[in-house]
Amino acid sequence: MGHDHARILEEDVPDATLQVVCDVAEAAARRTADRYGAVDAVTDAFAAIAREDVDAVLIASPDPTHAPLTLAALEARKPVLCEKPLAPDVASCLEVMAAEEALGALLVQVGFMRRFDPTYVAMKDAGADLGQAVMMHNFHRNVEAPAGFTPAMAITNSAPHEFDIARFVLDTEISAIAAYAPDSNVGTACRPVVMVLRTAAGQLVTIEVNNNAAYGYDVRAELVGTTGSANLPAEPSVRVDTSLKAANTYSADWRPRFAEAYRLQNKAWIGAIQSGVPAPGAATTWDGYCATAIATAGEAALAAGVMMPVELIPVPAFYAGQGVAA
Ligand code: ISE
């Protein structure tokens, strides 16, 4: 993802200059820096964040490093685009929230890029024509999970996109979650997870995450209202008819499927830095905290086999004006 973000910044965001690429593997940093014209390639992230020639920080490192690096950027009063999740644990999210509130400036944008995907935005807008929103159904399928990926990780690493987009489309908080996986003798090592969530407004959200779908990267969603429903379109691809068959093509992973969302997200982030006005609809630290709180409750629900409440602190006034659900 870091390499992809470097490409997007260099190819699609003319108002930003890729200054430094940091990776624990120096050769990887150098490869991306050379490919996309960065001034420098380094291995010390905290030193890179503190550099005088670095104005803003995009974090796309492993999940547990997100909060510490975000805190370092806040200490340097530098704007951050932090890939999801903000942190794997609620305590770290609250630490980032406290640091940002102490600064009194919204410097953190969390990388829930589906908020910039034109089809999800159209689904949210279509909600006005569907009467009262009742349910949302979501399918999130990857081709193959990395070795060691578990159903719990499907909840903490993949599902946060679904948790956040459900909050964004329905404009409400999630109050409870149940999570189930097939028995361990069914399917592959990384079994799928099916979740049922309740919203603070009383609606239902269903989510399937199947990280070993095998056939393609396939994300689907349906918003159901009292007078109709809105569905994401199938991923655009040329239908190829040969040998008495017709076939469409799936992306191999999320990067081509959400290429436009990432492009719009990164442009909006740089635009917000230039204007000093947070990008409308962008995910804040509060949204990052909520996604992690839901994931934490989801992990507990999977283990317990019962629906669990999602414990949230009251939304701080500092975030209340940023499009946060009531
Ligand atoms: C990955 O980390 C992402 O963020 C992708 O958007 C998601 O589809 C995938 O399941 C995650 O593992």
Side-chain angles (χ1 to χ4, degrees):
M1 277 315 301
H3 187 84
D4 252 40
H5 280 301
R7 176 186 56 75
I8 293 166
L9 290 170
E10 196 273 342
E11 292 178 354
D12 294 317
V13 190
D15 291 346
T17 302
L18 181 66
Q19 191 72 1
V20 182
V21 176
C22 179
D23 193 296
V24 287
E26 185 168 7
R30 174 51 57 199
R31 189 167 52 249
T32 299
D34 292 348
R35 176 70 180 78
Y36 296 116
V39 168
D40 207 353
V42 300
T43 57
D44 180 337
F46 292 98
I49 289 168
R51 286 170 58 136
E52 287 296 317
D53 63 341
V54 169
D55 300 321
V57 182
L58 194 155
I59 299 169
S61 45
D63 297 359
T65 66
H66 291 182
L69 295 178
T70 299
L71 287 168
L74 290 177
E75 191 174 336
R77 294 191 68 90
K78 295 183 181 179
V80 189
L81 173 54
C82 177
E83 264 290 347
K84 44 61 68 180
L86 177 63
D89 60 292
V90 165
S92 298
C93 292
L94 291 172
E95 196 178 351
V96 172
M97 201 181 294
E100 190 176 32
E101 278 190 87
L103 281 180
L106 281 168
L107 291 179
V108 180
Q109 181 174 327
V110 180
F112 287 118
M113 79 292 175
R114 294 188 189 183
R115 289 167 170 248
F116 294 89
D117 177 75
T119 59
Y120 273 112
V121 172
M123 172 181 279
K124 178 178 173 68
D125 293 345
D129 303 325
L130 302 179
Q132 182 187 24
V134 179
M135 294 179 287
M136 192 174 172
H137 301 298
N138 305 276
F139 291 82
H140 182 155
R141 296 173 174 169
N142 281 281
V143 174
E144 184 178 16
F149 213 80
T150 64
M153 291 168 75
I155 296 174
T156 60
N157 177 270
S158 301
H161 281 298
E162 309 301 334
F163 302 150
D164 181 71
I165 203 67
R167 291 178 63 248
F168 177 70
V169 169
L170 293 171
D171 194 21
T172 184
E173 292 303 352
I174 303 297
S175 59
I177 180 169
Y180 307 96
D183 290 349
S184 55
N185 63 316
V186 175
T188 61
C190 176
R191 290 164 286 149
V193 179
V194 174
M195 290 159 270
V196 179
L197 291 72
R198 283 193 178 284
T199 74
Q203 301 131 324
L204 285 181
V205 175
T206 66
I207 300 170
E208 174 208 300
V209 174
N210 180 1
N211 284 326
N212 275 324
Y215 65 85
Y217 184 74
D218 185 8
V219 167
R220 311 178 199 177
E222 179 182 15
L223 173 63
V224 182
T226 49
T227 62
S229 81
N231 286 269
L232 286 192
E235 182 180 3
S237 77
V238 172
R239 190 189 77 193
V240 179
D241 298 346
T242 60
S243 309
L244 305 181
K245 289 180 183 173
N248 286 92
T249 304
Y250 285 95
S251 291
D253 66 35
W254 59 90
R255 290 167 297 180
R257 168 65 182 78
F258 287 109
E260 180 66 355
Y262 282 114
R263 190 183 71 80
L264 293 171
Q265 169 192 258
N266 292 13
K267 284 176 74 72
W269 176 54
I270 296 299
I273 293 171
Q274 289 176 303
S275 67
V277 177
T284 66
T285 299
W286 170 258
D287 300 305
Y289 156 73
C290 288
T292 297
I294 299 165
T296 303
E299 258 194 298
L302 181 67
V306 296
M307 182 167 267
M308 299 292 278
V310 175
E311 307 290 349
L312 294 176
I313 65 170
V315 57
F318 181 69
Y319 295 100
Q322 296 308 320
V324 169

Tab-separated table of all heavy atoms in Angstrom, residues 149-174:
chain	number	residue	atom	x	y	z
A	149	PHE	N	-3.628	-16.015	8.451
A	149	PHE	CA	-4.775	-15.111	8.644
A	149	PHE	C	-5.910	-15.903	9.297
A	149	PHE	O	-6.198	-17.023	8.891
A	149	PHE	CB	-5.233	-14.572	7.277
A	149	PHE	CG	-5.772	-13.164	7.308
A	149	PHE	CD1	-4.902	-12.090	7.336
A	149	PHE	CD2	-7.140	-12.932	7.321
A	149	PHE	CE1	-5.401	-10.784	7.348
A	149	PHE	CE2	-7.638	-11.641	7.335
A	149	PHE	CZ	-6.771	-10.562	7.346
A	150	THR	N	-6.538	-15.341	10.316
A	150	THR	CA	-7.565	-16.080	11.077
A	150	THR	C	-8.929	-15.407	10.938
A	150	THR	O	-8.998	-14.243	10.507
A	150	THR	CB	-7.202	-16.063	12.574
A	150	THR	OG1	-7.254	-14.685	13.006
A	150	THR	CG2	-5.808	-16.638	12.824
A	151	PRO	N	-10.005	-16.099	11.308
A	151	PRO	CA	-11.312	-15.428	11.298
A	151	PRO	C	-11.325	-14.164	12.158
A	151	PRO	O	-11.923	-13.160	11.778
A	151	PRO	CB	-12.240	-16.512	11.851
A	151	PRO	CG	-11.605	-17.799	11.452
A	151	PRO	CD	-10.121	-17.548	11.567
A	152	ALA	N	-10.610	-14.172	13.278
A	152	ALA	CA	-10.559	-12.961	14.129
A	152	ALA	C	-9.882	-11.822	13.371
A	152	ALA	O	-10.302	-10.663	13.445
A	152	ALA	CB	-9.815	-13.266	15.422
A	153	MET	N	-8.853	-12.150	12.578
A	153	MET	CA	-8.173	-11.100	11.795
A	153	MET	C	-9.071	-10.597	10.672
A	153	MET	O	-8.997	-9.442	10.257
A	153	MET	CB	-6.850	-11.648	11.240
A	153	MET	CG	-5.806	-11.895	12.312
A	153	MET	SD	-4.400	-12.849	11.703
A	153	MET	CE	-3.559	-11.598	10.733
A	154	ALA	N	-9.960	-11.465	10.177
A	154	ALA	CA	-10.931	-10.991	9.170
A	154	ALA	C	-11.771	-9.869	9.782
A	154	ALA	O	-12.152	-8.914	9.114
A	154	ALA	CB	-11.818	-12.146	8.710
A	155	ILE	N	-12.023	-9.982	11.088
A	155	ILE	CA	-12.824	-8.960	11.787
A	155	ILE	C	-11.996	-7.697	12.056
A	155	ILE	O	-12.455	-6.574	11.861
A	155	ILE	CB	-13.372	-9.520	13.114
A	155	ILE	CG1	-14.339	-10.678	12.850
A	155	ILE	CG2	-14.062	-8.421	13.926
A	155	ILE	CD1	-14.810	-11.389	14.104
A	156	THR	N	-10.726	-7.881	12.470
A	156	THR	CA	-9.938	-6.701	12.885
A	156	THR	C	-9.196	-6.033	11.739
A	156	THR	O	-8.862	-4.858	11.820
A	156	THR	CB	-8.895	-7.109	13.953
A	156	THR	OG1	-8.025	-8.108	13.374
A	156	THR	CG2	-9.577	-7.668	15.193
A	157	ASN	N	-8.945	-6.773	10.641
A	157	ASN	CA	-8.158	-6.180	9.550
A	157	ASN	C	-9.010	-5.853	8.324
A	157	ASN	O	-8.853	-4.800	7.714
A	157	ASN	CB	-7.038	-7.136	9.150
A	157	ASN	CG	-6.249	-6.591	7.976
A	157	ASN	OD1	-6.599	-6.878	6.836
A	157	ASN	ND2	-5.242	-5.774	8.237
A	158	SER	N	-9.909	-6.788	7.925
A	158	SER	CA	-10.718	-6.567	6.716
A	158	SER	C	-12.033	-5.862	7.031
A	158	SER	O	-12.399	-4.889	6.365
A	158	SER	CB	-11.021	-7.920	6.035
A	158	SER	OG	-9.830	-8.573	5.684
A	159	ALA	N	-12.731	-6.337	8.044
A	159	ALA	CA	-14.083	-5.842	8.328
A	159	ALA	C	-14.153	-4.363	8.728
A	159	ALA	O	-15.205	-3.739	8.523
A	159	ALA	CB	-14.755	-6.708	9.394
A	160	PRO	N	-13.068	-3.750	9.255
A	160	PRO	CA	-13.204	-2.311	9.572
A	160	PRO	C	-13.687	-1.464	8.407
A	160	PRO	O	-14.382	-0.467	8.601
A	160	PRO	CB	-11.797	-1.933	10.021
A	160	PRO	CG	-11.294	-3.172	10.677
A	160	PRO	CD	-11.830	-4.285	9.823
A	161	HIS	N	-13.374	-1.850	7.183
A	161	HIS	CA	-13.929	-1.122	6.029
A	161	HIS	C	-15.454	-1.193	6.021
A	161	HIS	O	-16.138	-0.221	5.711
A	161	HIS	CB	-13.425	-1.726	4.718
A	161	HIS	CG	-12.046	-1.308	4.347
A	161	HIS	ND1	-11.690	-0.011	4.090
A	161	HIS	CD2	-10.927	-2.046	4.157
A	161	HIS	CE1	-10.418	0.038	3.766
A	161	HIS	NE2	-9.924	-1.181	3.805
A	162	GLU	N	-15.983	-2.381	6.351
A	162	GLU	CA	-17.454	-2.542	6.347
A	162	GLU	C	-18.062	-1.789	7.520
A	162	GLU	O	-19.119	-1.159	7.397
A	162	GLU	CB	-17.816	-4.029	6.413
A	162	GLU	CG	-17.133	-4.925	5.412
A	162	GLU	CD	-17.386	-4.536	3.958
A	162	GLU	OE1	-18.428	-3.912	3.672
A	162	GLU	OE2	-16.529	-4.864	3.124
A	163	PHE	N	-17.410	-1.857	8.684
A	163	PHE	CA	-17.950	-1.144	9.844
A	163	PHE	C	-18.037	0.352	9.542
A	163	PHE	O	-19.042	1.013	9.810
A	163	PHE	CB	-17.040	-1.354	11.070
A	163	PHE	CG	-16.838	-2.785	11.480
A	163	PHE	CD1	-15.644	-3.185	12.086
A	163	PHE	CD2	-17.822	-3.739	11.281
A	163	PHE	CE1	-15.435	-4.509	12.479
A	163	PHE	CE2	-17.634	-5.064	11.681
A	163	PHE	CZ	-16.437	-5.439	12.265
A	164	ASP	N	-16.944	0.880	8.945
A	164	ASP	CA	-16.923	2.333	8.697
A	164	ASP	C	-17.909	2.739	7.612
A	164	ASP	O	-18.616	3.740	7.739
A	164	ASP	CB	-15.517	2.794	8.312
A	164	ASP	CG	-15.463	4.293	8.074
A	164	ASP	OD1	-15.560	5.046	9.064
A	164	ASP	OD2	-15.401	4.712	6.901
A	165	ILE	N	-18.001	1.919	6.531
A	165	ILE	CA	-18.886	2.350	5.434
A	165	ILE	C	-20.347	2.227	5.848
A	165	ILE	O	-21.195	2.997	5.401
A	165	ILE	CB	-18.566	1.585	4.130
A	165	ILE	CG1	-19.038	2.377	2.898
A	165	ILE	CG2	-19.195	0.187	4.135
A	165	ILE	CD1	-18.263	3.673	2.670
A	166	ALA	N	-20.646	1.298	6.747
A	166	ALA	CA	-22.035	1.195	7.247
A	166	ALA	C	-22.367	2.435	8.072
A	166	ALA	O	-23.455	3.017	7.921
A	166	ALA	CB	-22.193	-0.069	8.087
A	167	ARG	N	-21.428	2.886	8.916
A	167	ARG	CA	-21.651	4.113	9.701
A	167	ARG	C	-21.804	5.307	8.755
A	167	ARG	O	-22.650	6.171	8.946
A	167	ARG	CB	-20.451	4.348	10.628
A	167	ARG	CG	-20.299	3.368	11.744
A	167	ARG	CD	-19.040	3.663	12.596
A	167	ARG	NE	-19.124	4.963	13.241
A	167	ARG	CZ	-18.358	6.017	12.938
A	167	ARG	NH1	-17.455	5.918	11.969
A	167	ARG	NH2	-18.499	7.157	13.575
A	168	PHE	N	-20.979	5.330	7.700
A	168	PHE	CA	-20.993	6.458	6.749
A	168	PHE	C	-22.307	6.490	5.965
A	168	PHE	O	-22.969	7.528	5.861
A	168	PHE	CB	-19.802	6.292	5.798
A	168	PHE	CG	-19.701	7.319	4.710
A	168	PHE	CD1	-19.364	8.639	4.981
A	168	PHE	CD2	-19.950	6.965	3.380
A	168	PHE	CE1	-19.261	9.588	3.961
A	168	PHE	CE2	-19.846	7.903	2.353
A	168	PHE	CZ	-19.509	9.210	2.654
A	169	VAL	N	-22.717	5.342	5.414
A	169	VAL	CA	-23.935	5.308	4.583
A	169	VAL	C	-25.190	5.519	5.434
A	169	VAL	O	-26.085	6.267	5.066
A	169	VAL	CB	-24.023	3.970	3.815
A	169	VAL	CG1	-25.395	3.780	3.155
A	169	VAL	CG2	-22.922	3.903	2.751
A	170	LEU	N	-25.252	4.850	6.606
A	170	LEU	CA	-26.455	4.948	7.454
A	170	LEU	C	-26.424	6.161	8.371
A	170	LEU	O	-27.441	6.488	8.990
A	170	LEU	CB	-26.599	3.662	8.286
A	170	LEU	CG	-26.900	2.398	7.488
A	170	LEU	CD1	-26.798	1.161	8.387
A	170	LEU	CD2	-28.280	2.475	6.823
A	171	ASP	N	-25.247	6.797	8.510
A	171	ASP	CA	-25.096	7.992	9.341
A	171	ASP	C	-25.556	7.716	10.777
A	171	ASP	O	-26.371	8.452	11.346
A	171	ASP	CB	-25.899	9.162	8.752
A	171	ASP	CG	-25.488	10.499	9.396
A	171	ASP	OD1	-24.377	10.565	9.960
A	171	ASP	OD2	-26.316	11.434	9.376
A	172	THR	N	-25.064	6.649	11.338
A	172	THR	CA	-25.393	6.309	12.719
A	172	THR	C	-24.256	5.487	13.312
A	172	THR	O	-23.348	5.072	12.585
A	172	THR	CB	-26.713	5.503	12.787
A	172	THR	OG1	-27.053	5.278	14.159
A	172	THR	CG2	-26.572	4.132	12.104
A	173	GLU	N	-24.328	5.292	14.639
A	173	GLU	CA	-23.294	4.462	15.274
A	173	GLU	C	-23.768	3.013	15.335
A	173	GLU	O	-24.934	2.705	15.146
A	173	GLU	CB	-22.973	4.989	16.673
A	173	GLU	CG	-22.278	6.344	16.719
A	173	GLU	CD	-20.970	6.393	15.947
A	173	GLU	OE1	-20.472	5.352	15.474
A	173	GLU	OE2	-20.444	7.492	15.787
A	174	ILE	N	-22.813	2.099	15.590
A	174	ILE	CA	-23.103	0.673	15.744
A	174	ILE	C	-23.198	0.389	17.242
A	174	ILE	O	-22.296	0.772	18.004
A	174	ILE	CB	-22.007	-0.197	15.103
A	174	ILE	CG1	-21.851	0.156	13.619
A	174	ILE	CG2	-22.298	-1.679	15.307
A	174	ILE	CD1	-23.071	-0.103	12.764
